[in-house]
Amino acid sequence: MTKIKFCGLTRLCDIRAANELSPAYIGFVFAPESRRYIPPCKAAELKAALHPDIRAAGVFVNENAETVAEFLNGGLIDIAQLHGGEDREYIKRLRKLTDKPLIQAFRIRAESDIANAGLSSADYVLLDSGAGTGKAFDWRLIQGFKKPFFLAGGLAPDNAGEAVRQLHPYGVDVSSGIETDGVKDKHKMAAFAAAVRKGDKNDEH
């Protein structure tokens, strides 16, 4: 079954909607330049309301490894998602500070980007079109990609099922595709989850 990740949750009502829809992951954005940024104290409040079966990811952009490890080891988040220029040395340093899982994000524009993603030492990679652009990249570039990956960028209820059937990702990551006027929309969240699960079922036949 394809894992669903609702990213950029900022409100208690977003958490309640997630609890009803049971994605595998939700995401808190800790990059201050993002409009979806939330401070750690707010994330802690939301995490406390999150169903224990749903794992919380923290999204970071070139954050100090010590800070990322502190959030992981303290239970504020369960997995870290690295969206900046973090390299193999950074991941090695982070591994010494925590044993929690890591996702490394890659912006896919050419075949060389796919090759770089394949060499990542993170537990998972996230393949995206850019930093929250809300647009899809050319999916043909990742046909046959072997490493477990989250697909992101331009996903929405109307194309999520097709993405699952075509690409068989480990997970799908959505943020702007489940928003209306810049905030999470419970109906779009439900439609997205339904589309992914239907895509999974169709893929079995």
Side-chain angles (χ1 to χ4, degrees):
M1 295 290 284
T2 307
K3 309 293 185 187
I4 296 169
K5 179 168 172 287
F6 294 141
C7 202
L9 274 55
T10 58
R11 305 172 301 167
L12 198 52
C13 59
D14 301 339
I15 297 293
R16 292 195 187 108
N19 287 343
E20 285 180 32
L21 296 167
S22 299
Y25 303 89
I26 59 93
F28 299 132
V29 178
F30 295 117
E33 62 271 23
S34 170
R35 65 178 177 83
R36 300 183 186 96
Y37 168 79
I38 58 171
C41 57
K42 179 68 174 176
E45 178 191 325
L46 298 182
K47 179 70 157 59
L50 185 67
H51 191 285
D53 288 345
I54 303 172
R55 300 170 83 189
V59 178
F60 301 92
V61 178
N62 301 322
E63 183 58 79
N64 288 330
E66 289 73 17
T67 300
V68 177
E70 182 186 331
F71 285 16
L72 286 164
N73 296 336
L76 179 61
I77 53 173
D78 306 299
I79 186 167
Q81 185 170 319
L82 309 174
H83 260 271
E86 300 91 354
D87 57 13
R88 187 173 285 269
E89 283 304 310
Y90 178 97
I91 292 175
K92 190 187 291 185
R93 193 160 88 253
L94 192 49
R95 294 275 195 211
K96 289 177 181 173
L97 299 169
T98 183
D99 60 357
K100 303 291 186 182
L102 308 175
I103 304 169
Q104 186 175 15
F106 290 86
R107 186 176 179 182
I108 304 303
R109 291 158 292 188
E111 287 183 10
S112 58
D113 299 319
I114 292 295
N116 288 337
L119 296 172
S120 173
S121 57
D123 299 278
Y124 306 98
V125 294
L126 182 142
L127 308 179
D128 200 353
S129 55
T133 60
K135 295 178 181 175
F137 61 88
D138 184 352
W139 291 347
R140 289 172 298 184
L141 288 170
I142 60 170
Q143 294 285 356
F145 184 71
K146 298 289 188 265
K147 197 175 176 72
F149 71 95
F150 285 85
L151 180 68
L155 292 177
D158 62 352
N159 67 357
E162 184 59 30
V164 167
R165 287 189 295 273
Q166 266 192 46
L167 301 169
H168 315 290
Y170 168 79
V172 285
D173 184 303
V174 64
S175 190
S176 59
I178 49 169
E179 291 180 347
T180 299
D181 298 328
V183 293
K184 295 297 182 277
D185 181 321
K186 181 180 175 181
H187 300 293
K188 288 183 180 177
M189 291 168 78
F192 184 89
V196 172
R197 288 163 181 157
K198 185 178 178 184
D200 274 330
K201 280 185 181 171
N202 290 346
D203 205 31
E204 291 169 4
H205 301 307

